[in-house]
Structure formats: C-alpha cells, structure tokens
Amino acid sequence: MGRTTGIIATLQAIGGKWKPLILFLLLHEGTLRFGELRRKLPNITQGMLTNQLREMERDGLVVRRVYQEIPPKVEYELSEHGRSLQQVLADMCGWGFTHIDFMQNAEDINLEETP
Amino acid sequence: MGRTTGIIATLQAIGGKWKPLILFLLLHEGTLRFGELRRKLPNITQGMLTNQLREMERDGLVVRRVYQEIPPKVEYELSEHGRSLQQVLADMCGWGFTHIDFMQNAEDINLEETP
DNA sequence: ATACTTAGTATGGTTTACCGTACCAAGTAC
DNA sequence: GTACTTGGTACGGTAAACCATACTAAGTAT
C-alpha cells in the first residue's frame, strides 16, 4: 500500500465531472429532490444524474429516499460518511477561487508585457 | 458566478486520473526527475506523463527545469502556487483512507448478514 | 380523451481520456 | 559501429465518460 493509496481511493469514489459538484450542492443545500438537483446542475443529462447518484448511493455517500406518490418524489441527501467529505469539498472550492485569481493575474501580467 | 464556480475551476486544473497523484508526489518528495516520477507512477505512459506535466506547467502549478546535458536531465517541482494545493491533497489522501475503512466495514457487515 | 407532472430507463452516438508501440536526438562507453 | 542512456514526440487504437433524444408509468387537472 503506497503513499498514493489514499488519493487513488478518493479519485475512484468522487472522480469525474459531476460527483464533486453534486456532493457540494447536497452539502450546502441539505436534502434536495431529483428535479431540484437537476435544475442546479444546468448542463447535466437526466441519465447522467441518475447514474452518478446511484453510484454514490452504492458507495455509501448519498441516501436516496423514495416517496410513494404520483408524480414520483425522490429526495437525496448526504449520508454521515458523505458529510465527512466536507473538508475536502470546502478546500477544493476555496482553492478553485485562489486559482481563478492566480490565472487572472498571470493574464494581466502578459497583457503588460505585450502592449 | 455560482456557488460551484470554485469546484469547477479546481476540477479543470487538477481533474483526471493522474494530476492529483503527480502533484502529491512532488509535494512529498520535492524535486524529481522525469524518470523518477515515471517509476513512482508504475502504470502511466511516457506520453501521458509528459502531457500532464506540460499542462500543469502551463497552469502555473509545476516548474520544469531543463539541464543542457546528454543524456537529457529534466527536473520537476511544485511552484509556489502548486504548493498551495497542499491542504487539498492532504485532505484527499486522508479521506481516501477513511473511505477504504468505511467500505471494508460495509463489506464485513454484509458477510455477517448473509452467512 | 388530452395534457401535464416527476423520476426515471433505453438506445445509440460522440467526445475525451488514456494506452501501446515505435521512433528520435545526441551524447558516452565498449 | 553498436549499444546504452534520458526525455521526449508521433501515430493509431480502445475504452470510458458523457450526451441527446425518445420513451415509460401512473396519477391529477381540464
């Protein structure tokens, strides 16, 4: 078990284009219905959202609650284990803004240098 | 600029199968030659490693230092901005181990329940 | 009957990520 | 001149991720 084992495990669990986003939303907004989540993720496909949520349910990160109603109502929220991602997600979010600033500054410097 | 902007920026900068791993190694081992890095990432292709390093250099995360020698010698290290990922990477690593334990326990419980 | 609702599933297609293999340059050692 | 070194590049291919579109169930409202 190498030094990178932890990183690899994390990438397997929450890697990909959508999972960190979905988890971040559930963390900050609490319980959300399928359709709410979908509207907050403007470019995701319905199939993709279902698929990512099911994988995260299987991995114990997300809890799925189905109401026996018509039209259907299904809610999603983070499990306790899912909530343990809080720090990771907060850091990712914070560093992202740092990085945006950094790239913006780099760009400004280039504009100065080539007038 | 939505709440998820930071996460999206982070995914663009360090998303994918290899970047977090490479960054983590450079963070913990300091300066590494291309070949050293390659040996520590046992399954990566040479082309992939070059490619990922170049992208991260372009994004200001990694510094590339070329020595004018034959055979070639090229060293990589984190830039200051790259080092600002320290917290993110440490958390990812830590959570990964937490997750491995969690999955192991879940498995054990399943074994109990179906004897 | 018709339309509208929600949370899906199904099918097929495209795009991106990643891989394997081969090749190169330009020196040193034999 | 042959082999070995390192850090690449170039090519073609595969597999995974992701997307668009159409369809469904089963109820309510008109």
Side-chain angles (χ1 to χ4, degrees):
Chain A
M1 204 161 68
R3 266 222 244 7
T4 54
T5 308
I7 301 270
I8 291 169
T10 299
L11 291 177
Q12 272 165 6
I14 66 164
K17 184 175 178 181
W18 295 113
K19 283 179 185 173
L21 253 27
I22 296 169
L23 292 165
F24 186 83
L25 285 172
L26 290 176
L27 183 66
H28 283 81
E29 318 223 354
T31 301
L32 288 174
R33 291 185 61 169
F34 182 84
E36 292 176 308
L37 213 33
R38 185 156 149 58
R39 279 187 288 278
K40 288 171 195 289
L41 263 355
N43 295 317
I44 198 171
T45 298
Q46 202 163 6
M48 206 16 29
L49 181 54
T50 301
N51 169 286
Q52 300 290 289
L53 285 167
R54 293 292 164 83
E55 283 185 18
M56 293 194 289
E57 190 196 10
R58 186 220 332 127
D59 292 341
L61 301 176
V62 160
V63 176
R64 178 167 181 264
R65 192 180 307 116
V66 182
Y67 294 82
Q68 290 304 339
E69 300 175 7
I70 293 291
K73 176 177 176 183
V74 181
E75 287 180 345
Y76 293 91
E77 64 180 324
L78 290 190
S79 68
E80 203 191 321
H81 181 51
R83 282 192 292 275
S84 72
L85 277 163
Q86 183 220 99
Q87 188 70 47
V88 177
L89 294 168
D91 286 348
M92 283 179 66
C93 181
W95 186 86
F97 287 114
T98 302
H99 185 59
I100 289 170
D101 288 351
F102 174 85
M103 296 291 268
Q104 187 57 52
N105 288 341
E107 207 177 283
D108 292 350
I109 287 166
N110 281 346
L111 287 177
E112 275 172 39
E113 278 172 357
T114 53
Chain B
M1 203 163 66
R3 266 221 241 12
T4 54
T5 308
I7 301 269
I8 292 170
T10 299
L11 290 177
Q12 271 163 6
I14 66 164
K17 184 174 175 179
W18 295 111
K19 283 179 183 172
L21 252 27
I22 296 168
L23 292 164
F24 185 82
L25 285 172
L26 290 175
L27 182 67
H28 283 82
E29 316 223 356
T31 301
L32 289 174
R33 291 185 62 170
F34 181 84
E36 292 176 308
L37 213 34
R38 184 155 150 60
R39 280 185 288 277
K40 287 170 195 291
L41 264 355
N43 295 317
I44 197 170
T45 298
Q46 200 164 9
M48 211 5 42
L49 181 53
T50 301
N51 169 286
Q52 300 290 290
L53 285 166
R54 292 294 164 81
E55 284 184 17
M56 292 193 288
E57 189 196 9
R58 188 221 330 131
D59 293 341
L61 301 176
V62 160
V63 176
R64 179 168 181 263
R65 193 180 307 117
V66 182
Y67 293 83
Q68 291 305 337
E69 300 174 10
I70 294 288
K73 176 177 176 183
V74 181
E75 288 180 345
Y76 293 91
E77 65 181 324
L78 290 190
S79 68
E80 202 190 321
H81 181 51
R83 282 191 292 276
S84 74
L85 277 164
Q86 183 219 97
Q87 188 70 46
V88 178
L89 294 169
D91 287 347
M92 281 178 68
C93 181
W95 186 84
F97 287 113
T98 301
H99 185 58
I100 290 170
D101 288 352
F102 174 86
M103 296 291 269
Q104 186 57 53
N105 287 341
E107 206 177 283
D108 291 350
I109 288 166
N110 281 345
L111 286 177
E112 275 172 40
E113 278 172 357
T114 52

